[in-house]
Amino acid sequence: MPEFQHSPGMRDILPPESGRWRRFQAVFAEVAGAAGYGEIMPPLMEDIGVFQRVGEHTDVVTKEMYDFIDKGERHVALRPEQTASVCRAFAQHRPITPWKVFYAGPNFRYEKPQRGRYRQFDQVGIEVLGADDPYLDVEVIVLAWEFYLRLGLQQVTLLLNSLGEPQDRANYTAALKDYFEQHLDALSPESRVTLTKNPLRVLDSKRPADAAVLAGAPRIASFYSAEAAAHFEAVQQGLTDLGIPFTLDTSLVRGLDYYRRTTFEFQGGTLDSAQNALGGGGRYDGLVESLGGPPTHGIGFALGLDRTLLACDDEGVFAAPPAAVNVFVVDTTGGLEALRITAELRAAGISADRAYENRSMKSQMKGADRSGAPIAIIVGSNEIEAGVVTLRPLRGADVQRPVARGALVTEVIQALEQAAKEATA
Ligand code: AMP
């Protein structure tokens, strides 16, 4: 064992898996970009207050933050999520609304590492600030849906709920508290503790002991004001209109006081319940204001890369892209010619790799095979003398042929086109 390894819950993302991560982000950027969202790149670190405003009572903020005092005596934290940073940036820069942004990148939470749960993990997400239109909620949900489809996922379930207006939610929370207090004996000890902090969160309990009490609990729908009911109705109508299937789930609550109206979650159809939450989001108010900005409506979601890739593995889609180059150069004359040829090819936009240390022909050809390149360019002393290189197709039935050294790039382009045709035939 080497002396140093990465810290628990952190990972080295090696090729070719890193290529898959990049493509994941690129597909997300395409989907969001095509809907008019621009990318925001918030810092990895903020004043700890930014995150504390978002989730004073959540584990993410109270127990899991990587925080420290920097050399300037500032109490800072690595971001555990990015919504808070986006709202802080909005309050700071006051862009024109509606402000539609997307993000991609790592977050940090000091959690117990396990499959699908890490201390540094990537999310992609979007936030829209400054609009309250129910069809915006639909747009936001559809973008996540579209993203899953683009990855090839077919077994994702969309769970949908509305928390109503803040007053509806407060009335509901009070009713829920009364109900659970009347059934205290039937609640699990863990849920009794949750009840003292946030009655809504008791609805999250997956413990079998709580199932019976939960089944009889009051439902949020009976507490909606007319306005909240109409908004939720419009969201459902929009989703139905676009053919997006959803399941109403009244237990889908978000613990923070900022959340109102629409909430949603995406679940992977093939994963265990511990990792099946691929991502989620909802509407929030008050966040921008609490960070020094004007009262501003917000909606957004965050999707976890790890869980989504686990779902992709299970469904056999979105594999790591093969790390192939176009051409592999084999040079048995010392390597200078390989240096020139790879430089020439790369300058012409053709990806090229080569062997080093003047290895034997056999060993270099093995490298050519491993590289995944469809074509090898071979140079020996005979070729140098004749002013040619040997172009050898590595797949298909074509035989090798000499091509003039001066016509290298043109010949390679033609041979690559031919190889691509054969591959798709
Ligand atoms: P949250 O920001 O907690 O609402 O999480 C949104 C999504 O991010 C979850 O559904 C997960 O897919 C993912 N996620 C959250 N925490 C972690 C973690 N520690 N490791 C990997 N993925 C995570």
PDB file of all heavy atoms in Angstrom, residues 277-306:
ATOM      1  N   ALA A 277     -33.055   8.030  -5.242  1.00  0.00           N
ATOM      2  CA  ALA A 277     -33.345   9.436  -5.516  1.00  0.00           C
ATOM      3  C   ALA A 277     -32.257   9.999  -6.426  1.00  0.00           C
ATOM      4  O   ALA A 277     -31.132  10.232  -6.012  1.00  0.00           O
ATOM      5  CB  ALA A 277     -33.401  10.223  -4.216  1.00  0.00           C
ATOM      6  N   LEU A 278     -32.602  10.156  -7.694  1.00  0.00           N
ATOM      7  CA  LEU A 278     -31.610  10.644  -8.658  1.00  0.00           C
ATOM      8  C   LEU A 278     -31.449  12.151  -8.544  1.00  0.00           C
ATOM      9  O   LEU A 278     -30.397  12.699  -8.854  1.00  0.00           O
ATOM     10  CB  LEU A 278     -32.060  10.314 -10.079  1.00  0.00           C
ATOM     11  CG  LEU A 278     -32.360   8.853 -10.393  1.00  0.00           C
ATOM     12  CD1 LEU A 278     -32.727   8.707 -11.861  1.00  0.00           C
ATOM     13  CD2 LEU A 278     -31.153   7.983 -10.067  1.00  0.00           C
ATOM     14  N   GLY A 279     -32.515  12.808  -8.127  1.00  0.00           N
ATOM     15  CA  GLY A 279     -32.445  14.260  -8.019  1.00  0.00           C
ATOM     16  C   GLY A 279     -33.822  14.805  -7.692  1.00  0.00           C
ATOM     17  O   GLY A 279     -34.805  14.066  -7.693  1.00  0.00           O
ATOM     18  N   GLY A 280     -33.861  16.080  -7.392  1.00  0.00           N
ATOM     19  CA  GLY A 280     -35.158  16.665  -7.073  1.00  0.00           C
ATOM     20  C   GLY A 280     -35.058  18.171  -7.003  1.00  0.00           C
ATOM     21  O   GLY A 280     -33.971  18.746  -7.111  1.00  0.00           O
ATOM     22  N   GLY A 281     -36.218  18.778  -6.823  1.00  0.00           N
ATOM     23  CA  GLY A 281     -36.212  20.231  -6.735  1.00  0.00           C
ATOM     24  C   GLY A 281     -37.568  20.769  -6.393  1.00  0.00           C
ATOM     25  O   GLY A 281     -38.461  20.032  -5.988  1.00  0.00           O
ATOM     26  N   GLY A 282     -37.703  22.064  -6.579  1.00  0.00           N
ATOM     27  CA  GLY A 282     -38.984  22.678  -6.282  1.00  0.00           C
ATOM     28  C   GLY A 282     -38.888  24.192  -6.264  1.00  0.00           C
ATOM     29  O   GLY A 282     -37.846  24.766  -6.572  1.00  0.00           O
ATOM     30  N   ARG A 283     -40.020  24.777  -5.927  1.00  0.00           N
ATOM     31  CA  ARG A 283     -40.130  26.240  -5.820  1.00  0.00           C
ATOM     32  C   ARG A 283     -39.718  26.710  -4.446  1.00  0.00           C
ATOM     33  O   ARG A 283     -39.998  26.045  -3.461  1.00  0.00           O
ATOM     34  CB  ARG A 283     -41.584  26.642  -6.007  1.00  0.00           C
ATOM     35  CG  ARG A 283     -41.892  27.030  -7.361  1.00  0.00           C
ATOM     36  CD  ARG A 283     -43.078  27.938  -7.526  1.00  0.00           C
ATOM     37  NE  ARG A 283     -43.102  28.216  -8.940  1.00  0.00           N
ATOM     38  CZ  ARG A 283     -42.367  29.174  -9.510  1.00  0.00           C
ATOM     39  NH1 ARG A 283     -41.637  29.991  -8.784  1.00  0.00           N
ATOM     40  NH2 ARG A 283     -42.394  29.338 -10.817  1.00  0.00           N
ATOM     41  N   TYR A 284     -39.093  27.837  -4.406  1.00  0.00           N
ATOM     42  CA  TYR A 284     -38.740  28.413  -3.118  1.00  0.00           C
ATOM     43  C   TYR A 284     -38.879  29.927  -3.184  1.00  0.00           C
ATOM     44  O   TYR A 284     -38.756  30.524  -4.247  1.00  0.00           O
ATOM     45  CB  TYR A 284     -37.318  28.022  -2.700  1.00  0.00           C
ATOM     46  CG  TYR A 284     -36.284  28.259  -3.781  1.00  0.00           C
ATOM     47  CD1 TYR A 284     -35.667  29.490  -3.925  1.00  0.00           C
ATOM     48  CD2 TYR A 284     -35.941  27.247  -4.673  1.00  0.00           C
ATOM     49  CE1 TYR A 284     -34.739  29.717  -4.920  1.00  0.00           C
ATOM     50  CE2 TYR A 284     -35.013  27.474  -5.680  1.00  0.00           C
ATOM     51  CZ  TYR A 284     -34.413  28.703  -5.801  1.00  0.00           C
ATOM     52  OH  TYR A 284     -33.505  28.929  -6.798  1.00  0.00           O
ATOM     53  N   ASP A 285     -39.162  30.505  -2.041  1.00  0.00           N
ATOM     54  CA  ASP A 285     -39.223  31.963  -1.917  1.00  0.00           C
ATOM     55  C   ASP A 285     -38.327  32.348  -0.758  1.00  0.00           C
ATOM     56  O   ASP A 285     -38.019  31.513   0.078  1.00  0.00           O
ATOM     57  CB  ASP A 285     -40.646  32.397  -1.555  1.00  0.00           C
ATOM     58  CG  ASP A 285     -41.491  32.586  -2.793  1.00  0.00           C
ATOM     59  OD1 ASP A 285     -40.957  32.433  -3.898  1.00  0.00           O
ATOM     60  OD2 ASP A 285     -42.682  32.889  -2.630  1.00  0.00           O
ATOM     61  N   GLY A 286     -37.936  33.571  -0.695  1.00  0.00           N
ATOM     62  CA  GLY A 286     -37.294  34.054   0.516  1.00  0.00           C
ATOM     63  C   GLY A 286     -35.800  33.826   0.600  1.00  0.00           C
ATOM     64  O   GLY A 286     -35.121  34.437   1.409  1.00  0.00           O
ATOM     65  N   LEU A 287     -35.282  32.966  -0.263  1.00  0.00           N
ATOM     66  CA  LEU A 287     -33.864  32.647  -0.166  1.00  0.00           C
ATOM     67  C   LEU A 287     -32.995  33.839  -0.583  1.00  0.00           C
ATOM     68  O   LEU A 287     -32.056  34.220   0.113  1.00  0.00           O
ATOM     69  CB  LEU A 287     -33.595  31.450  -1.079  1.00  0.00           C
ATOM     70  CG  LEU A 287     -32.552  30.458  -0.652  1.00  0.00           C
ATOM     71  CD1 LEU A 287     -32.808  30.012   0.766  1.00  0.00           C
ATOM     72  CD2 LEU A 287     -32.579  29.245  -1.593  1.00  0.00           C
ATOM     73  N   VAL A 288     -33.364  34.424  -1.720  1.00  0.00           N
ATOM     74  CA  VAL A 288     -32.616  35.587  -2.221  1.00  0.00           C
ATOM     75  C   VAL A 288     -32.694  36.722  -1.197  1.00  0.00           C
ATOM     76  O   VAL A 288     -31.692  37.376  -0.889  1.00  0.00           O
ATOM     77  CB  VAL A 288     -33.174  36.041  -3.589  1.00  0.00           C
ATOM     78  CG1 VAL A 288     -32.559  37.367  -4.012  1.00  0.00           C
ATOM     79  CG2 VAL A 288     -32.923  34.971  -4.654  1.00  0.00           C
ATOM     80  N   GLU A 289     -33.904  36.896  -0.658  1.00  0.00           N
ATOM     81  CA  GLU A 289     -34.129  37.963   0.323  1.00  0.00           C
ATOM     82  C   GLU A 289     -33.251  37.751   1.561  1.00  0.00           C
ATOM     83  O   GLU A 289     -32.644  38.689   2.079  1.00  0.00           O
ATOM     84  CB  GLU A 289     -35.600  37.923   0.729  1.00  0.00           C
ATOM     85  CG  GLU A 289     -36.188  39.260   1.035  1.00  0.00           C
ATOM     86  CD  GLU A 289     -37.692  39.114   1.281  1.00  0.00           C
ATOM     87  OE1 GLU A 289     -38.304  38.109   0.834  1.00  0.00           O
ATOM     88  OE2 GLU A 289     -38.239  40.008   1.941  1.00  0.00           O
ATOM     89  N   SER A 290     -33.172  36.502   2.010  1.00  0.00           N
ATOM     90  CA  SER A 290     -32.401  36.241   3.228  1.00  0.00           C
ATOM     91  C   SER A 290     -30.906  36.458   2.979  1.00  0.00           C
ATOM     92  O   SER A 290     -30.124  36.554   3.918  1.00  0.00           O
ATOM     93  CB  SER A 290     -32.656  34.822   3.719  1.00  0.00           C
ATOM     94  OG  SER A 290     -31.945  33.908   2.924  1.00  0.00           O
ATOM     95  N   LEU A 291     -30.524  36.533   1.699  1.00  0.00           N
ATOM     96  CA  LEU A 291     -29.117  36.765   1.375  1.00  0.00           C
ATOM     97  C   LEU A 291     -28.888  38.209   0.940  1.00  0.00           C
ATOM     98  O   LEU A 291     -27.893  38.536   0.297  1.00  0.00           O
ATOM     99  CB  LEU A 291     -28.666  35.778   0.286  1.00  0.00           C
ATOM    100  CG  LEU A 291     -28.589  34.324   0.790  1.00  0.00           C
ATOM    101  CD1 LEU A 291     -28.618  33.335  -0.373  1.00  0.00           C
ATOM    102  CD2 LEU A 291     -27.339  34.103   1.630  1.00  0.00           C
ATOM    103  N   GLY A 292     -29.844  39.067   1.254  1.00  0.00           N
ATOM    104  CA  GLY A 292     -29.644  40.497   1.022  1.00  0.00           C
ATOM    105  C   GLY A 292     -30.223  41.026  -0.271  1.00  0.00           C
ATOM    106  O   GLY A 292     -30.005  42.177  -0.625  1.00  0.00           O
ATOM    107  N   GLY A 293     -30.965  40.207  -1.018  1.00  0.00           N
ATOM    108  CA  GLY A 293     -31.557  40.663  -2.279  1.00  0.00           C
ATOM    109  C   GLY A 293     -33.021  41.010  -2.093  1.00  0.00           C
ATOM    110  O   GLY A 293     -33.549  40.938  -0.985  1.00  0.00           O
ATOM    111  N   PRO A 294     -33.698  41.399  -3.209  1.00  0.00           N
ATOM    112  CA  PRO A 294     -35.126  41.721  -3.136  1.00  0.00           C
ATOM    113  C   PRO A 294     -35.945  40.433  -3.026  1.00  0.00           C
ATOM    114  O   PRO A 294     -35.438  39.362  -3.355  1.00  0.00           O
ATOM    115  CB  PRO A 294     -35.387  42.403  -4.478  1.00  0.00           C
ATOM    116  CG  PRO A 294     -34.342  41.851  -5.399  1.00  0.00           C
ATOM    117  CD  PRO A 294     -33.151  41.538  -4.554  1.00  0.00           C
ATOM    118  N   PRO A 295     -37.221  40.527  -2.579  1.00  0.00           N
ATOM    119  CA  PRO A 295     -38.059  39.328  -2.569  1.00  0.00           C
ATOM    120  C   PRO A 295     -38.113  38.753  -3.987  1.00  0.00           C
ATOM    121  O   PRO A 295     -38.387  39.488  -4.933  1.00  0.00           O
ATOM    122  CB  PRO A 295     -39.438  39.859  -2.158  1.00  0.00           C
ATOM    123  CG  PRO A 295     -39.198  41.196  -1.563  1.00  0.00           C
ATOM    124  CD  PRO A 295     -37.927  41.731  -2.149  1.00  0.00           C
ATOM    125  N   THR A 296     -37.801  37.495  -4.134  1.00  0.00           N
ATOM    126  CA  THR A 296     -37.663  36.913  -5.476  1.00  0.00           C
ATOM    127  C   THR A 296     -38.180  35.476  -5.472  1.00  0.00           C
ATOM    128  O   THR A 296     -37.817  34.690  -4.602  1.00  0.00           O
ATOM    129  CB  THR A 296     -36.162  36.884  -5.889  1.00  0.00           C
ATOM    130  OG1 THR A 296     -35.601  38.182  -5.694  1.00  0.00           O
ATOM    131  CG2 THR A 296     -35.985  36.472  -7.337  1.00  0.00           C
ATOM    132  N   HIS A 297     -39.017  35.148  -6.456  1.00  0.00           N
ATOM    133  CA  HIS A 297     -39.451  33.755  -6.602  1.00  0.00           C
ATOM    134  C   HIS A 297     -38.313  32.936  -7.196  1.00  0.00           C
ATOM    135  O   HIS A 297     -37.574  33.416  -8.039  1.00  0.00           O
ATOM    136  CB  HIS A 297     -40.640  33.665  -7.557  1.00  0.00           C
ATOM    137  CG  HIS A 297     -41.849  34.402  -7.072  1.00  0.00           C
ATOM    138  ND1 HIS A 297     -42.455  34.101  -5.883  1.00  0.00           N
ATOM    139  CD2 HIS A 297     -42.546  35.428  -7.621  1.00  0.00           C
ATOM    140  CE1 HIS A 297     -43.495  34.905  -5.715  1.00  0.00           C
ATOM    141  NE2 HIS A 297     -43.564  35.732  -6.750  1.00  0.00           N
ATOM    142  N   GLY A 298     -38.240  31.686  -6.786  1.00  0.00           N
ATOM    143  CA  GLY A 298     -37.199  30.820  -7.359  1.00  0.00           C
ATOM    144  C   GLY A 298     -37.711  29.419  -7.570  1.00  0.00           C
ATOM    145  O   GLY A 298     -38.640  28.957  -6.898  1.00  0.00           O
ATOM    146  N   ILE A 299     -37.138  28.758  -8.547  1.00  0.00           N
ATOM    147  CA  ILE A 299     -37.415  27.320  -8.731  1.00  0.00           C
ATOM    148  C   ILE A 299     -36.173  26.683  -9.326  1.00  0.00           C
ATOM    149  O   ILE A 299     -35.438  27.322 -10.083  1.00  0.00           O
ATOM    150  CB  ILE A 299     -38.640  27.076  -9.644  1.00  0.00           C
ATOM    151  CG1 ILE A 299     -38.861  25.567  -9.814  1.00  0.00           C
ATOM    152  CG2 ILE A 299     -38.508  27.760 -10.989  1.00  0.00           C
ATOM    153  CD1 ILE A 299     -40.197  25.173 -10.382  1.00  0.00           C
ATOM    154  N   GLY A 300     -35.931  25.435  -8.970  1.00  0.00           N
ATOM    155  CA  GLY A 300     -34.753  24.772  -9.525  1.00  0.00           C
ATOM    156  C   GLY A 300     -34.717  23.312  -9.151  1.00  0.00           C
ATOM    157  O   GLY A 300     -35.609  22.804  -8.465  1.00  0.00           O
ATOM    158  N   PHE A 301     -33.693  22.655  -9.638  1.00  0.00           N
ATOM    159  CA  PHE A 301     -33.468  21.268  -9.230  1.00  0.00           C
ATOM    160  C   PHE A 301     -31.980  20.970  -9.229  1.00  0.00           C
ATOM    161  O   PHE A 301     -31.192  21.715  -9.829  1.00  0.00           O
ATOM    162  CB  PHE A 301     -34.197  20.268 -10.155  1.00  0.00           C
ATOM    163  CG  PHE A 301     -33.736  20.267 -11.601  1.00  0.00           C
ATOM    164  CD1 PHE A 301     -32.469  19.830 -11.967  1.00  0.00           C
ATOM    165  CD2 PHE A 301     -34.598  20.696 -12.609  1.00  0.00           C
ATOM    166  CE1 PHE A 301     -32.058  19.820 -13.295  1.00  0.00           C
ATOM    167  CE2 PHE A 301     -34.194  20.702 -13.943  1.00  0.00           C
ATOM    168  CZ  PHE A 301     -32.920  20.264 -14.276  1.00  0.00           C
ATOM    169  N   ALA A 302     -31.606  19.919  -8.529  1.00  0.00           N
ATOM    170  CA  ALA A 302     -30.237  19.408  -8.560  1.00  0.00           C
ATOM    171  C   ALA A 302     -30.314  17.903  -8.816  1.00  0.00           C
ATOM    172  O   ALA A 302     -31.121  17.211  -8.186  1.00  0.00           O
ATOM    173  CB  ALA A 302     -29.537  19.680  -7.238  1.00  0.00           C
ATOM    174  N   LEU A 303     -29.504  17.430  -9.754  1.00  0.00           N
ATOM    175  CA  LEU A 303     -29.489  16.008 -10.081  1.00  0.00           C
ATOM    176  C   LEU A 303     -28.113  15.456  -9.735  1.00  0.00           C
ATOM    177  O   LEU A 303     -27.096  16.044 -10.102  1.00  0.00           O
ATOM    178  CB  LEU A 303     -29.764  15.787 -11.564  1.00  0.00           C
ATOM    179  CG  LEU A 303     -30.959  16.550 -12.162  1.00  0.00           C
ATOM    180  CD1 LEU A 303     -31.080  16.244 -13.653  1.00  0.00           C
ATOM    181  CD2 LEU A 303     -32.252  16.187 -11.450  1.00  0.00           C
ATOM    182  N   GLY A 304     -28.074  14.362  -9.032  1.00  0.00           N
ATOM    183  CA  GLY A 304     -26.800  13.763  -8.644  1.00  0.00           C
ATOM    184  C   GLY A 304     -26.214  12.946  -9.780  1.00  0.00           C
ATOM    185  O   GLY A 304     -26.902  12.131 -10.391  1.00  0.00           O
ATOM    186  N   LEU A 305     -24.947  13.200 -10.071  1.00  0.00           N
ATOM    187  CA  LEU A 305     -24.285  12.459 -11.156  1.00  0.00           C
ATOM    188  C   LEU A 305     -24.122  10.983 -10.804  1.00  0.00           C
ATOM    189  O   LEU A 305     -24.379  10.106 -11.625  1.00  0.00           O
ATOM    190  CB  LEU A 305     -22.933  13.117 -11.430  1.00  0.00           C
ATOM    191  CG  LEU A 305     -22.000  12.454 -12.429  1.00  0.00           C
ATOM    192  CD1 LEU A 305     -21.215  13.507 -13.202  1.00  0.00           C
ATOM    193  CD2 LEU A 305     -21.025  11.506 -11.754  1.00  0.00           C
ATOM    194  N   ASP A 306     -23.701  10.703  -9.565  1.00  0.00           N
ATOM    195  CA  ASP A 306     -23.387   9.310  -9.211  1.00  0.00           C
ATOM    196  C   ASP A 306     -24.589   8.390  -9.327  1.00  0.00           C
ATOM    197  O   ASP A 306     -24.522   7.331  -9.948  1.00  0.00           O
ATOM    198  CB  ASP A 306     -22.840   9.248  -7.785  1.00  0.00           C
ATOM    199  CG  ASP A 306     -21.498   9.936  -7.699  1.00  0.00           C
ATOM    200  OD1 ASP A 306     -20.556   9.421  -8.299  1.00  0.00           O
ATOM    201  OD2 ASP A 306     -21.410  11.002  -7.070  1.00  0.00           O
TER     202      ASP A 306
END
